[in-house]
Amino acid sequence: MSKLITKLLLPYVALLGFIDPVHAEGIVTDLSKHEVAIRSNFTGADILVFGAIERAGDSASTGPADVVIEVTGPETTETVRRKDKVSGIWMNYEATRFERVPGFYAVLSSRPLENIAPASLLKVEQLGFNNISFGKAWSSVLGGEENLRTPDEVAPFSTAILRSRAKDKLYVADSNGVVFMGDTLFRASIPLPASVPVGLYTVKVYLLRDGHVVDAISSPLLIAKSGVERVIYRFAYGQPFLYGIVAVLLAIFAGWTAALIFREH
């Protein structure tokens, strides 16, 4: 694997000798693949992110360089409900709706994030589970009128999302996920579970030094259904009413066929 990565990075490394010393330090990166096809036998995948640091002047002596890789999936609206006992009956008492919840989120770094940058920078760049923004949050009690809430007011609900997604391996954090091979080459493997949502992803690679972002590069990653699964997926989301009718008819036909088979036996 290391030989393959080194071979892929040779064109980038060759360019390092031509960098103008007065230019800022930067990085070059790429992905092992920019599209993942999901078929019926899909059990997950790993995306390799690799790159090289472009050294400039005596920047190596000012402090250690760190790399942070962030992967965000398509955003969706999600509602979290909290049960409570009302008049002796347990029911969905309060519901909070978040407008922008990433379907997938991964952050991998060469060291723990708190050792790489100050909390203020991590919050601005939204790096780490505690800094993910779910957009505006609206809460309602017993199905009543929704009201806009602050992040602190809905903290238990956002924490529930983080806990649930982490359990399903849809939210991943690895403080040792970025591995350096020498002084300039680095790589990281992004694990994608079988339940990963389809859509357009963004892979962003940060180069940090002395607690500051020196450079950042974004790359697209497309995860899409393929083959028969793609046809069914488009049909289900493009024509939901017709899809529902077809699904019911198929269920009736399957039940009728099963009844005939058992009757004959």
Side-chain angles (χ1 to χ4, degrees), residues 58-121:
D58 61 351
S59 60
S61 63
T62 63
D66 287 289
V67 173
V68 178
I69 299 175
E70 179 191 51
V71 184
T72 54
E75 296 178 342
T76 60
T77 299
E78 183 159 339
T79 300
V80 181
R81 294 176 172 83
R82 178 170 63 88
K83 289 183 177 295
D84 205 346
K85 186 177 290 187
V86 179
S87 300
I89 301 175
W90 286 96
M91 60 179 60
N92 291 325
Y93 180 75
E94 184 176 2
T96 297
R97 176 173 56 86
F98 296 93
E99 292 187 346
R100 296 187 296 106
V101 178
F104 179 86
Y105 179 86
V107 56
L108 292 82
S109 53
S110 53
R111 290 190 296 159
L113 292 176
E114 60 270 20
N115 297 336
I116 293 177
S120 57
L121 176 63

Side-chain angles (χ1 to χ4, degrees), residues 40 225-240 243-244 246-247 250:
S40 59
K225 299 282 187 180
S226 180
V228 176
E229 291 78 13
R230 184 174 185 176
V231 175
I232 295 176
Y233 178 82
R234 286 187 171 182
F235 180 42
Y237 283 87
Q239 302 288 338
Y243 174 80
V246 173
L250 287 176

